[in-house]
Amino acid sequence: MTTETPPRPRRRTQADPSLPRLSAVGWVRWAWRQLTSMRTALFLLLLLSVAAVPGSIFPQRNIDSGRVADYIAQNPTTSPWLDRFGFFDVYASPWFSAIYLLLFVSLVGCIVPRTKVHLAALRATPPRAPSRLTRLDEHAEVVTDLSPEEALGVAREVLRGKRFRLHSHDDTSLSGESGYLRETGNLVFHLALTGIIVGMAVGHVFGWRGDIILPEGTRFASSAGTYNTISPGPWVDTESLPPFVLGLDRLDVQFNETPGRGFGTPREFTAYTTLQPEPGAPATDETISVNHPITVDGADIFLLGNGYTPVITVRDAAGEILYREATPFLPQDGNYRSVGVIKVPSASPKQLGLTGFFLPTAEPTFVHGPASLFPDAKDPELALSIWEGNLFPGDAPQSVYTLNTDEMTQVAKADGSPALIRLKPGQTYEIPGDRGTVTFDSVKRFAGLSVRTDPGAPISLVSAILATLGLILGLTIKRRRVFVRVRAAEPGAAGVDSPSGDGGRPATVVTIGGLSKDSDAGLAAIVAAVHDRLAERNDRS
């Protein structure tokens, strides 16, 4: 006979939990909380620094449009894509602006709620003392003959001297809290970062910068068309630039001539100028040196560099002057071996271009190529090559300091070798093929001047100072809480000789506990200070 196993009762299956779904408002709140978190702000700050890297790698249109055109011509495959994504105008590109604005919104969204919480904490009283202070990080206990009121008074006196904010929630406890300036410093730091961003934005939008190379003995009238390069902000009216007139009378440059490790190093750069705030106004003598600009009508004029401008004259075969200018040559090394270009579009039958080096103190043998032995003009010499053809292929913009030889050929001598010029001041070279002459007349110095207005600079400066102060407060101040509890000592308790103190008063047990938000070596000293003062008063009594 077989017995059948009764069927097991079926377990009741629980339905899968139904999770709440976020509404559109919920998703917006979630996105806002993510954006305004400190982690996102730090990530955006890092992303902004990474996004600025292409601005130092690729040429920028607002600085040198000619270099951008040359780069595009030399890289026809990648340049259109780089241009499409704004790599030639990084700081005005939509993606850089988006990171910039997101960082600003993130910081503001982080600061506002934290400020509200901090203001509420400043108005609130310190929390009630825990019942068991011996569980806190730092604690101490002392038995005294002082009454509970007197013991709390001693503790209050010590903590008030430590700049604690105090409050008693009952007759047997005292709560103290300090370090509110820590959060104040953090908020000031983040607010100052926002101020720096605002200052940079104001400077970018309303500021402008113009650079000019000014040879000795020449004058410069400030206007948008007279600068070598100009970078106005998007909201700058270039017609309203300060109309000052600046003349460079003399540029005093001194180099170290003492043999040794510092031989040839610069010692002093000083530009002696004549300044008129506007055409027709009285002129004043002004001196510009490194880190000591002059200011006119809100614009600062800085001395950024210096170099040489050989005065070169190019004549045609009939002796007619086609070109005569003090031509800037840009230094390439510490001995001022300088490169430059002379463009003569009026030459015929083909346009002429000369490119090469100016050597202030020429090495005479040229064994290792054109080289200068000293930065001062002790033995100046020009070393140039001559090209003929189309100076401006495709009518594309180009820098005045470069020569595009794509549609040019090098001028050769009768034997077919390239025509290379070596001239000292006062010498003349006859260009082969009856093309005219080149004369090296003299040498002048030039000053590289930068004229800038940055209305956001005061905002950024004040913000940077506040950021430093806020960072110091946030790193040095500790958020601390100290609590004191008093109770009557029980007979026979440790440290109590009798159930009563002097005058029959019961002995008082004082427990001190301290708590810090972070690791704090100074908290123990504060607890010990309260303990020692109570012990000292007990000894005196």
Side-chain angles (χ1 to χ4, degrees):
M1 183 176 181
T2 60
T3 59
E4 296 184 358
T5 303
R8 294 181 179 180
R10 296 182 61 185
R11 293 181 178 180
R12 297 178 61 184
T13 60
Q14 296 181 352
D16 293 336
S18 58
L19 300 177
R21 294 185 177 182
L22 291 177
S23 62
V25 176
W27 280 109
V28 171
R29 287 177 177 173
W30 178 84
W32 176 254
R33 288 172 182 169
Q34 297 300 315
L35 177 61
T36 55
S37 67
M38 185 54 59
R39 181 180 301 175
T40 302
L42 293 174
F43 173 76
L44 289 173
L45 189 62
L46 175 63
L47 187 62
L48 187 70
S49 62
V50 173
V53 171
S56 60
I57 297 177
F58 300 102
Q60 302 295 296
R61 280 198 174 91
N62 62 339
I63 297 177
D64 193 342
S65 58
R67 286 188 60 195
V68 174
D70 292 342
Y71 187 93
I72 293 176
Q74 295 170 8
N75 301 272
T77 303
T78 59
S79 293
W81 288 99
L82 293 173
D83 197 12
R84 186 173 301 173
F85 288 106
F87 280 85
F88 299 123
D89 200 3
V90 169
Y91 306 110
S93 61
W95 49 270
F96 188 87
S97 301
I99 299 172
Y100 193 87
L101 292 175
L102 282 175
L103 177 60
F104 178 79
V105 173
S106 178
L107 286 173
V108 173
C110 178
I111 291 170
V112 172
R114 286 183 62 176
T115 302
K116 292 181 179 179
V117 172
H118 184 52
L119 291 176
L122 290 176
R123 292 192 297 267
T125 58
R128 186 180 296 274
S131 57
R132 298 182 180 180
L133 297 182
T134 55
R135 293 184 176 182
L136 299 184
D137 295 341
E138 299 291 340
H139 59 273
E141 193 169 273
V142 60
V143 179
T144 177
D145 290 336
L146 300 175
S147 67
E149 293 79 8
E150 292 173 335
L152 289 178
V154 171
R156 184 177 288 107
E157 179 184 351
V158 175
L159 293 178
R160 187 174 288 119
K162 302 289 185 182
R163 297 185 179 181
F164 276 75
R165 192 172 65 179
L166 304 174
H167 183 76
S168 292
H169 293 272
D170 52 47
D171 296 337
T172 62
S173 67
L174 176 66
S175 300
E177 192 168 12
S178 69
Y180 294 95
L181 285 179
R182 177 187 177 92
E183 181 63 13
T184 302
N186 290 332
L187 291 174
V188 169
F189 175 74
H190 290 91
L191 187 63
L193 287 183
T194 306
I196 292 174
I197 294 176
V198 171
M200 293 174 60
V202 170
H204 174 73
V205 173
F206 297 101
W208 62 275
R209 169 179 174 172
D211 297 330
I212 184 70
I213 288 180
L214 192 62
E216 288 178 322
T218 60
R219 292 159 58 86
F220 159 69
S222 173
S223 66
T226 54
Y227 288 96
N228 295 130
T229 60
I230 185 169
S231 303
W235 292 357
V236 172
D237 182 10
T238 55
E239 299 297 326
S240 61
L241 300 184
F244 63 88
V245 178
L246 183 69
L248 178 60
D249 302 327
R250 179 170 58 90
L251 182 63
D252 185 14
V253 181
Q254 298 181 13
F255 299 96
N256 184 12
E257 300 186 28
T258 303
R261 192 170 184 176
F263 179 75
T265 57
R267 296 172 54 190
E268 182 180 353
F269 300 104
T270 305
Y272 298 93
T273 65
T274 302
L275 177 65
Q276 294 177 267
E278 59 184 24
T284 59
D285 294 332
E286 302 288 347
T287 300
I288 312 175
S289 58
V290 179
N291 296 327
H292 292 85
I294 60 175
T295 303
V296 53
D297 199 9
D300 296 323
I301 306 175
F302 293 87
L303 176 63
L304 292 187
N306 70 97
Y308 295 96
T309 55
V311 180
I312 300 170
T313 301
V314 180
R315 294 180 173 87
D316 60 12
E320 183 179 352
I321 295 176
L322 304 178
Y323 178 95
R324 174 178 284 171
E325 287 186 19
T327 307
F329 278 60
L330 303 182
Q332 303 297 302
D333 59 24
N335 286 326
Y336 280 51
R337 187 180 78 133
S338 307
V339 297
V341 171
I342 299 100
K343 300 179 182 180
V344 192
S346 58
S348 62
K350 296 180 180 180
Q351 297 176 335
L352 287 178
L354 295 88
T355 181
F357 299 94
F358 171 77
L359 311 170
T361 305
E363 193 279 320
T365 64
F366 278 30
V367 173
H368 302 290
S372 177
L373 302 177
F374 190 73
D376 209 354
K378 302 291 187 180
D379 186 17
E381 186 172 343
L382 278 173
L384 304 172
S385 60
I386 311 173
W387 299 75
E388 64 177 2
N390 184 11
L391 286 171
F392 308 100
D395 293 329
Q398 58 181 262
S399 171
V400 296
Y401 304 108
T402 59
L403 181 64
N404 190 334
T405 60
D406 292 344
E407 298 183 9
M408 305 188 78
T409 57
Q410 191 169 4
V411 175
K413 296 187 289 187
D415 59 2
S417 61
L420 301 177
I421 302 175
R422 291 187 62 177
L423 292 174
K424 291 186 178 295
Q427 294 181 346
T428 299
Y429 178 84
E430 292 188 5
I431 305 175
D434 199 24
R435 292 178 174 88
T437 61
V438 179
T439 303
F440 182 10
D441 296 319
S442 60
V443 180
K444 294 182 178 181
R445 292 189 182 274
F446 74 76
L449 302 175
S450 182
V451 185
R452 307 176 187 178
T453 61
D454 187 0
I459 301 175
S460 298
L461 176 60
V462 173
S463 299
I465 295 173
L466 291 177
T468 304
L469 294 176
L471 189 61
I472 293 173
L473 292 176
L475 293 177
T476 57
I477 294 180
K478 302 295 184 180
R479 188 71 179 269
R480 296 162 174 162
R481 287 176 178 173
V482 175
F483 305 100
V484 180
R485 275 197 175 277
V486 295
R487 59 183 172 83
E490 298 178 0
V496 182
D497 296 331
S498 64
S500 300
D502 293 343
R505 294 185 305 179
T508 302
V509 179
V510 183
T511 307
I512 310 111
L515 184 66
S516 181
K517 191 172 184 180
D518 301 309
S519 60
D520 184 4
L523 182 62
I526 296 175
V527 173
V530 179
H531 176 277
D532 294 345
R533 181 66 65 85
L534 286 168
E536 178 185 354
R537 290 290 298 270
N538 187 45
D539 293 340
R540 290 178 180 177
S541 63

